């Protein structure tokens, strides 16, 4: 009933309808674009291609582009010859829906088989190509006598199925790369068809091999060994091994004697080994010409051998394949050949417990017997756990002697919590297997990269594959399989182990060692405990030198938490053009919405932020990546203390945020020096100017040389003398500094900016006194914060363009929270202060009141005076003014 149906939001219904209409439109137009007689098939193809496409991609689709792309795709599939594989790679073809980010399109059409898509995507990944989008409709088809597609139907119940794969990648290949990629994919897909086409035949042949082993007598191989070999082959048949290729070899009599020639059995190839004519053994090869290890594999050894090949799979995934060799034995017990199987362990096979896997369980049992390990003991549990941690191919390839040495070495490393390195060389596959056992808290992605680089360099390797096992043990076990194309160098294994131990030293070990070396045992150990309490993410991302500086600053901040923040600039270790801004804050994290504008006011751009929260220390270290507008980092680091002081001042409310703060990095000024320029700018605004504060700020920021010269002139004029000689030279220093300002302004090109900057010189000229160099010029705010204030006393007659009446003297007071002015008409004057609401022109208001006071007070004192002030932050309601 309608009232029982779940309600659907109208916007959802409307969106679904719109998407359905888009699909219907595309399918209809693809059909109309096809040849007569094939329009129904084209519509079916388009519908199948769009069936499982994500809604967000459909919603963004360019319908015309989609129709054109799917029409071309249908023609591509329609034109494929029966039993053929069609592949094309088109650089610049673009997205099927006209979406951005596609540089090359890879297309394939073939009879539908498993592993087609995974084989293509694995090859693209091997080439480091970025997959943006993939379409893989499976079509039920009927083709006419001309080979063309007559109709398309649902694939599930169709007698004939075909696959179309369209992979869109981000990179744009050149023509040569595209041609080579197309040839490779065609070759890979041909192997997929061979492997899947012969799958049942390979299973039948493997089943017969089990029966042949079962028929063997007990005279030459112990029945226990035969049963175990049969169990392993049956384990392979139970979906634990992906069969890819089968081939058989026989030993023939030659001039050197019986069974001295090796030859592939003609017609025995299946799957990817189907073509026996390409085999090295297509014609008989004397065993004496073969390498000793290969000759041994053909003539002796266990009934079943499993090892890793140096050949990469061409089906499903581009990993090295596993080789299974099954001995063929005559009735006299002589090895007369080999059945060879190539494939890959399936996910099921890899996840099956090794201790229950045929052949492997026997190896484990023999090691336990040799070591006289008591059943159900702690040692048995430990060795079994370590056995489980090793990769399956490592266990298959290791002899019992090698496995015993490996397991006992790993057991000792586990018990002693030490780092152990075990090396095993496989000459036949030119592979070096390096097992590294390391305390799990020391294993990290960084260590994995370092060890990979070390082993590649030491063994001249081409590629290194890494398998990691963590489990619930205290040790992490990593297997590094180093593939070597040339000869394997003979290295000092003890020295290699020492190098691994040096790399595996924990971050905290290195930090504490340096701290102890620099600060002594007691102090270094105390600071080391600070380092240990930093989170793992911080330890993984922070170099030793950065950490040493961080630890000392954290310790100092925790000793004096009233400081609130610790701020410093430093360089990244890799020399990148990104400067790090490291901010340590006790308690809660920084509010980024309040902090980032401070950094940006310095002319810096924050490109990333990585917080490291330590709950044990109750603090957060924020690691910002910053750049200035030209990417210069040395100046930032060189002025780290000056910039850090500015950030702290702004955080405490002592520094306003505007473009003038860019002068701190650009002109090398301190935040207090910038406040001097800001005070003059604010005073000029009160006297009257046609230029906006924004434009004045930009003018000063664009001319850092002039800004610095202005500050140096101000300081030459007012900095207290340090002695009689200093006082004598003040006039000369003032003149030199003023002249430097004039010379710097002469280089300014724009007339209006020239006028603005000369006004600043004139204002310094007109200044008589200041409190800028008194260390006690601080005022307490309501929250207890101490805010500096700056007072500038002017000879009003020397102030450019001062409106009438011109006072005798005036004092302008500036701070981030309050501004005020006091005007007087003569040396002796009388008048009060008032609260003003006219923030941008309170001087005009006060000037009018001073004029009134001059008349009012003439009877009492020679002339009048008046003062006024404004609150710039948190202006309260009228009824609270007296309280404030």
């Amino acid at each position: 009933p309608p009232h029982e149906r779940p309600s659907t939001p109208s916007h959802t219904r409307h969106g679904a309808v719109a998407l359905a209409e888009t699909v219907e439109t595309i399918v209809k137009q693809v059909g109309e674009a096809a040849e007569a007689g094939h329009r129904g098939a084209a519509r079916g193809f388009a519908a199948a291609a769009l069936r499982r496409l994500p809604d967000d991609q459909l919603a963004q689709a360019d319908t015309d582009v989609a129709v054109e792309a799917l029409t071309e795709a249908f023609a591509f599939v329609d034109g494929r010859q029966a039993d053929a594989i069609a592949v094309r790679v088109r650089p610049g073809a673009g997205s099927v829906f006209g979406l951005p980010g596609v540089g090359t399109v890879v297309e394939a059409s073939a009879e539908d088989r498993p592993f087609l898509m995974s084989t293509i995507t694995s090859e693209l990944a091997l080439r480091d190509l970025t997959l943006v989008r993939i379409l893989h409709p499976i079509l039920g088809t009927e083709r006419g006598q001309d080979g063309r597609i007559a109709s398309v139907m649902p694939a599930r119940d169709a007698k004939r199925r075909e696959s179309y794969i369209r992979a869109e990648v981000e990179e744009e290949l050149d023509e040569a790369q595209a041609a080579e990629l197309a040839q490779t994919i065609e070759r890979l897909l041909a192997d997929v068809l061979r492997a899947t086409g012969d799958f049942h035949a390979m299973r039948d042949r493997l089943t017969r091999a089990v029966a042949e082993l079962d028929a063997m007598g007990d005279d030459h191989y112990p029945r226990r060994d035969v049963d175990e070999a049969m169990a392993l082959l049956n384990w392979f048949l139970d979906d634990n091994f992906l069969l890819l290729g089968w081939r058989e070899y026989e030993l023939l009599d030659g001039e050197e004697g019986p069974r001295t020639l090796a030859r592939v059995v003609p017609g025995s190839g299946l799957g990817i080994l189907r073509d026996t004519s390409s085999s090295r053994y297509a014609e008989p090869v004397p065993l004496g010409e073969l390498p000793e290890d290969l000759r041994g594999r053909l003539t002796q050894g266990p009934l079943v051998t499993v090892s890793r090949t140096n050949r990469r799979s061409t089906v499903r995934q581009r990993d090295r394949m596993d080789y299974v060799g099954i001995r063929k034995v005559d009735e006299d017990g002589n090895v007369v050949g080999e059945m060879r199987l190539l494939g890959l362990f399936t996910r099921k096979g890899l996840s099956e417990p090794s201790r229950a896997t045929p052949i492997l369980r026997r190896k484990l049992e023999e090691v336990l017997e040799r070591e006289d390990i008591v059943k159900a003991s702690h040692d048995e549990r430990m060795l079994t756990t370590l056995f489980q941690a090793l990769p399956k191919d490592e266990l298959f390839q290791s002899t019992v002697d090698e496995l015993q040495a490996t397991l006992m070495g790993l057991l000792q490393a586990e018990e002693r919590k030490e780092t152990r390195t075990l090396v095993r060389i496989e000459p036949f596959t030119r592979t070096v297997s390096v097992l590294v056992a390391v305390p799990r808290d020391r294993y990290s992605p960084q260590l994995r990269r370092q060890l990979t680089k070390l082993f590649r360099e030491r063994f001249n390797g081409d590629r290194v594959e890494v398998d990691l096992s963590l489990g619930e043990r205290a040790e992490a076990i990593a297997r590094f399989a180093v593939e070597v194309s040339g000869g394997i160098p003979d290295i000092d294994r003890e020295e290699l182990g020492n190098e691994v131990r040096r790399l595996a030293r924990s971050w905290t070990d290195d930090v504490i060692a340096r701290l102890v070396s620099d600060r002594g045992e007691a102090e270094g150990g105390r600071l080391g405990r600070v380092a240990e309490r930093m989170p793992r993410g911080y330890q993984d991302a922070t170099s030793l030198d950065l950490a040493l500086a961080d630890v000392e600053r954290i310790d100092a901040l925790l000793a004096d938490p009233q400081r609130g923040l610790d701020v410093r600039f430093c360089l990244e270790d890799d020399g990148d053009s990104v400067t790090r801004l490291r901010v340590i804050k006790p308690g809660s994290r920084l509010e980024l919405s309040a902090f980032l504008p401070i950094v940006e006011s310095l002319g810096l751009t924050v490109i990333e932020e990585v917080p490291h929260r330590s709950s044990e220390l109750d603090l957060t270290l924020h690691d910002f990546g910053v750049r200035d507008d030209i990417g210069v980092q040395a100046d930032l680091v060189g002025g780290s203390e000056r910039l850090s002081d500015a950030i702290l001042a702004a955080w405490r409310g002592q520094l306003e945020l505007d473009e003038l703060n860019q002068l701190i990095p650009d002109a090398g000024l301190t935040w207090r020096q910038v406040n001097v320029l800001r005070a003059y700018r604010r005073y000029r605004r009160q006297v009257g100017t046609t230029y906006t504060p924004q434009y004045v700020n930009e003018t000063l920021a664009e001319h850092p040389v002039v800004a610095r010269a202005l500050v140096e002139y101000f300081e030459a004029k007012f900095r207290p003398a340090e002695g009689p000689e200093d006082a004598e030279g003040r006039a000369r220093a003032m003149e030199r500094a003023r002249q430097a300002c004039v010379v710097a302004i002469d280089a300014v090109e724009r007339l209006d900016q020239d006028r603005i900057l000369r006004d600043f010189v004139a204002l310094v000229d007109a200044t008589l006194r200041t409190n800028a160099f008194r260390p006690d010029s601080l005022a307490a705010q309501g929250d207890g914060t101490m805010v500096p204030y700056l007072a500038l006393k002017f000879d009003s007659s020397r102030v450019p363009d001062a409106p009438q009446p011109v006072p005798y003297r005036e004092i302008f007071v500036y701070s981030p929270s309050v501004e005020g002015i006091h005007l007087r008409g003569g040396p002796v004057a009388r008048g009060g202060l008032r609260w003003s609401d006219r923030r941008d022109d309170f001087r005009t208001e006060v000037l009018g009141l001073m004029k009134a006071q001059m008349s009012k007070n003439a009877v009492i004192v020679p002339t009048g005076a008046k003062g006024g002030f404004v609150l710039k932050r948190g202006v309260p309601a009228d009824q609270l003014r007296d309280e404030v």
Side-chain angles (χ1 to χ4, degrees):
H3 65 272
E4 293 184 2
R5 294 174 186 160
S7 61
T8 303
S10 60
H11 67 272
T12 303
R13 291 195 300 271
H14 294 161
V17 170
L19 293 177
E21 290 175 351
T22 299
V23 171
E24 184 178 352
T25 299
I26 294 173
V27 169
K28 179 181 178 182
Q29 292 185 19
V30 170
E32 291 172 351
E35 299 176 25
H38 294 275
R39 290 173 180 162
R43 287 194 297 272
F45 172 82
L50 299 174
R51 180 170 295 119
R52 284 188 289 176
L53 203 73
D55 289 351
D56 61 330
Q57 295 186 20
L58 269 175
Q60 301 175 63
D62 183 317
T63 303
D64 294 338
V65 173
V67 170
E68 182 179 355
L70 292 175
T71 300
E72 289 181 355
F74 175 71
F76 170 67
V77 174
D78 187 37
R80 181 178 67 86
Q81 298 298 312
D83 301 324
I85 298 170
V87 177
R88 65 180 179 183
V89 178
R90 296 186 293 158
S95 163
V96 67
F97 295 125
L99 302 178
V102 176
T104 303
V105 172
V106 179
E107 293 175 287
S109 173
E111 179 184 344
D112 181 51
R113 296 289 180 83
F115 313 130
L116 290 175
M117 186 171 75
S118 58
T119 298
I120 291 176
T121 56
S122 294
E123 178 63 23
L124 297 178
L126 187 66
R127 295 169 181 254
D128 292 325
L129 296 176
T130 307
L131 186 63
V132 176
R133 180 179 302 102
I134 193 161
L135 269 68
H136 180 209
I138 299 176
L139 315 168
T141 62
E142 287 184 0
R143 288 185 180 258
Q145 293 183 350
D146 59 356
R148 303 279 301 280
I149 297 177
S151 63
V152 174
M153 63 205 69
R156 184 183 179 97
D157 299 319
K159 294 181 180 179
R160 176 190 178 93
R161 288 189 290 271
E162 301 182 29
S163 270
Y164 168 69
I165 299 171
R166 178 191 178 98
E168 299 177 356
V169 298
E170 182 178 313
E171 296 77 10
E172 183 168 355
L173 307 180
D174 60 34
E175 293 299 329
Q177 291 171 326
E180 187 275 329
L181 177 59
Q183 292 175 358
T184 299
I185 289 179
E186 187 171 354
R187 174 175 57 82
L188 296 178
L189 296 186
D191 274 356
V192 172
L193 296 186
R194 294 187 189 100
T196 54
D198 289 344
F199 174 73
H200 294 292
M202 287 188 282
R203 280 187 63 88
D204 291 344
R205 193 63 194 90
L206 188 57
T207 302
R208 292 212 315 271
V210 174
E212 291 169 13
L213 289 177
D214 193 27
M216 289 178 55
D218 300 340
D219 298 337
H220 309 295
Y221 287 90
R223 189 66 207 178
R224 182 182 178 185
D225 291 350
V226 174
D227 289 344
E228 198 70 4
M230 292 167 52
L232 180 64
L233 300 186
N234 282 320
W235 185 82
F236 287 157
L237 288 167
D238 188 23
D239 295 330
N240 290 306
F241 196 79
L242 177 61
L243 312 180
L244 297 180
W246 178 279
R247 191 177 282 172
E248 297 182 26
Y249 300 82
E250 58 186 356
L251 297 179
L252 306 175
D253 297 341
E255 295 179 358
E256 301 295 326
R259 297 177 298 282
T260 56
L261 298 175
R263 184 187 70 171
V264 67
V265 176
S268 64
L270 296 171
I272 63 174
L273 297 177
R274 184 188 296 174
D275 182 11
T276 56
S277 64
S278 62
S279 171
R280 176 185 178 184
Y281 304 97
E283 297 297 329
V285 176
L287 293 180
E289 296 180 5
L290 300 180
E292 182 178 352
D293 56 333
L294 180 55
R295 185 166 63 249
R297 280 177 50 175
L298 286 171
T299 60
Q300 58 191 7
L303 283 171
V304 177
T305 301
V306 180
S307 69
R308 181 71 68 90
T309 73
N310 54 11
R311 176 178 171 183
R312 293 197 172 276
S313 170
T314 53
V315 178
R316 194 182 75 176
Q317 62 200 61
R318 302 290 273 129
D319 293 338
R320 290 196 301 162
M321 290 185 290
D322 294 285
Y323 148 87
V324 180
I326 308 166
R327 303 283 170 264
K328 296 168 70 173
V329 182
D330 66 12
E331 57 188 16
D332 296 324
N334 299 310
V335 177
V336 296
E338 179 189 76
M339 293 172 277
R340 180 172 298 178
L341 173 65
L342 294 182
L344 297 166
F345 285 104
T346 63
R347 291 188 181 90
K348 177 176 178 290
L350 292 172
S351 62
E352 288 279 335
S354 297
R355 64 178 181 273
T357 302
I359 301 293
L360 301 186
R361 61 194 178 193
R362 284 282 305 278
K363 290 185 177 183
L364 175 61
E365 183 181 341
E366 189 167 344
V367 170
L368 297 176
E369 289 176 358
R370 289 184 180 187
E371 292 293 335
D372 193 25
I373 302 297
V374 178
K375 288 187 177 182
S377 66
H378 170 76
D379 284 351
E380 184 191 48
R381 288 194 296 272
M382 289 295 295
L383 285 173
T384 302
T385 301
L386 292 170
F387 182 80
Q388 282 292 121
L390 298 177
K392 264 198 172 63
D393 63 288
E394 184 78 21
L395 297 175
F396 273 118
Q397 293 171 83
S398 298
T399 65
V400 175
D401 291 341
E402 291 171 332
L403 188 56
Q404 181 180 3
T406 297
L407 289 176
M408 298 313 296
L410 294 176
L411 181 62
Q412 292 173 9
E414 180 96 7
E415 291 173 343
R416 299 175 186 176
K417 295 182 178 170
E418 64 181 12
T419 299
R420 184 67 63 94
T421 304
L422 303 166
V423 179
R424 186 175 60 81
I425 296 176
E426 303 169 30
F428 179 72
T429 59
R430 296 191 297 279
T431 302
V432 180
S433 176
V434 186
L435 279 174
V436 176
V438 62
R440 64 182 298 157
D441 61 342
R442 299 187 184 182
Y443 189 86
S444 65
Q446 180 183 10
L447 178 60
R448 176 180 58 80
R449 291 191 293 270
Q450 291 173 329
L451 293 178
T452 299
K453 182 174 183 287
L454 172 66
F455 299 144
R456 181 185 288 118
E457 291 175 352
R458 291 294 177 272
F459 294 105
N460 296 328
D462 302 316
R463 180 183 171 89
V464 181
E465 294 181 354
V466 185
D467 291 300
L468 173 65
S469 173
L470 292 174
E472 298 179 358
R473 304 177 312 281
E475 295 275 310
I477 298 176
R479 193 276 300 270
F480 297 80
V482 186
E483 300 175 26
V484 182
S485 57
I488 298 175
D490 185 17
I491 67 162
D492 185 328
R493 298 191 182 192
E494 182 177 354
E495 176 56 30
L496 182 68
N498 291 336
E499 289 186 85
V500 172
R501 275 190 289 274
R502 284 194 291 271
L503 291 175
R505 282 173 60 90
S506 73
W507 180 87
T508 52
D509 288 342
D510 290 336
V511 171
I512 292 172
R514 279 282 297 275
L515 287 170
V516 169
S517 174
D518 295 344
R519 305 290 291 271
E521 189 74 31
E523 183 69 2
R526 187 183 67 79
L527 291 173
R529 287 188 287 277
V530 174
E532 289 175 330
R533 294 172 183 172
M534 293 302 288
R536 179 61 183 268
Y538 169 86
Q539 297 178 11
D540 290 343
T542 306
S543 70
L544 180 59
D545 289 335
L546 282 179
L548 292 172
D550 286 343
V551 166
E552 296 199 8
R553 299 176 81 97
I554 289 171
D555 183 64
L557 185 60
L558 293 176
D560 182 17
Q562 295 303 316
R563 289 167 48 199
L565 290 182
D566 181 274
V567 180
R568 72 186 175 102
F569 287 85
C570 56
L571 297 183
E572 287 192 332
D573 296 334
D574 57 8
D576 187 37
S577 60
V578 175
T579 301
R580 310 309 302 182
L581 168 58
R582 298 175 83 80
V583 181
I584 306 166
K585 182 179 183 299
S588 60
R589 297 186 180 190
L590 280 174
E591 294 182 8
L592 296 183
S593 61
F595 185 77
L596 293 184
I598 295 175
V599 181
E600 291 165 353
S601 77
L602 297 171
L604 306 178
T605 300
V606 177
I607 61 174
E608 63 179 349
E609 186 261 342
V610 182
H612 300 289
R613 174 70 185 165
S614 171
S615 55
E616 293 185 63
L617 296 173
D618 190 25
L619 61 80
T620 303
L621 188 151
H622 294 264
D623 181 19
F624 296 93
V626 299
R627 284 198 179 110
D628 67 9
D629 53 359
I630 56 174
V632 175
Q633 57 180 353
D635 290 343
L636 299 181
V637 175
S640 176
E641 184 175 353
R642 186 179 69 254
L643 292 168
S644 299
D645 285 346
I647 290 174
L648 288 172
W651 181 255
R652 295 166 181 159
Q654 299 171 334
L655 178 68
E656 293 191 73
L657 305 185
D658 59 32
E659 293 83 352
L660 286 186
N661 291 341
Q662 296 177 26
L663 294 170
I664 297 172
D666 294 349
L669 301 180
T670 67
W671 66 270
R672 289 180 181 272
Q673 291 171 323
V674 169
N675 266 355
V676 170
L677 295 175
R678 186 174 286 111
Y680 276 117
R681 188 209 75 202
R682 292 291 298 169
Y683 173 71
R684 179 73 255 185
R685 183 70 176 171
Q686 292 298 325
V687 171
T689 177
T690 58
Y691 303 110
T692 65
Q694 175 81 12
Y695 188 62
V696 177
N697 287 346
E698 291 174 0
T699 298
L700 285 165
E702 289 174 13
H703 299 90
V705 174
V706 176
R708 184 167 185 83
L710 286 169
V711 170
E712 289 174 350
Y713 175 35
F714 176 83
E715 293 184 347
K717 185 172 182 179
F718 295 111
R719 182 178 293 280
E722 297 179 0
E725 294 182 1
D726 185 33
E728 292 173 4
R730 178 182 296 279
R732 293 192 298 272
M734 284 173 50
E735 185 56 35
R736 286 196 300 270
R738 191 182 190 285
Q739 186 60 30
C741 289
V742 174
V743 171
I745 295 172
D746 286 343
V748 175
E749 296 180 355
R750 296 186 58 173
L751 183 60
D752 54 351
Q753 292 185 336
D754 178 284
R755 183 176 180 182
I756 289 170
L757 297 172
R758 292 187 193 278
D759 265 358
F760 273 84
V761 176
L763 290 177
V764 178
D765 290 341
T767 307
L768 301 175
R769 294 174 61 195
T770 179
N771 71 330
F773 300 98
R774 288 185 62 91
D776 59 349
S777 298
L778 297 170
Q781 303 298 287
D783 60 0
T785 303
M786 301 302 291
V787 177
Y789 59 89
L790 182 65
L792 300 170
K793 181 175 181 179
F794 294 96
D795 178 349
S796 303
S797 65
R798 300 183 63 187
V799 173
D801 303 322
Q804 297 294 324
V806 176
Y808 170 71
R809 297 288 187 266
E810 57 188 287
I811 299 175
F812 177 70
V813 177
Y814 164 81
S815 85
S817 56
V818 176
E819 286 179 19
I821 198 158
H822 189 267
L823 311 176
R824 56 193 173 105
V828 178
R830 179 181 183 278
L833 297 176
R834 73 173 275 121
W835 182 303
S836 175
D837 292 315
R838 295 167 60 171
R839 179 169 174 174
D840 287 330
D841 67 340
F842 59 84
R843 185 183 183 277
T844 302
E845 178 186 9
V846 172
L847 184 63
L849 294 172
M850 183 203 74
K851 183 178 178 182
Q853 287 290 99
M854 291 172 68
S855 301
K856 177 180 177 181
N857 292 330
V859 180
I860 308 171
V861 293
T863 188
K866 195 65 179 178
F869 64 94
V870 293
L871 283 187
K872 295 159 63 176
R873 294 179 182 166
V875 179
D878 289 347
Q879 63 268 28
L880 298 179
R881 286 190 175 188
D882 291 343
E883 179 183 341
V884 172

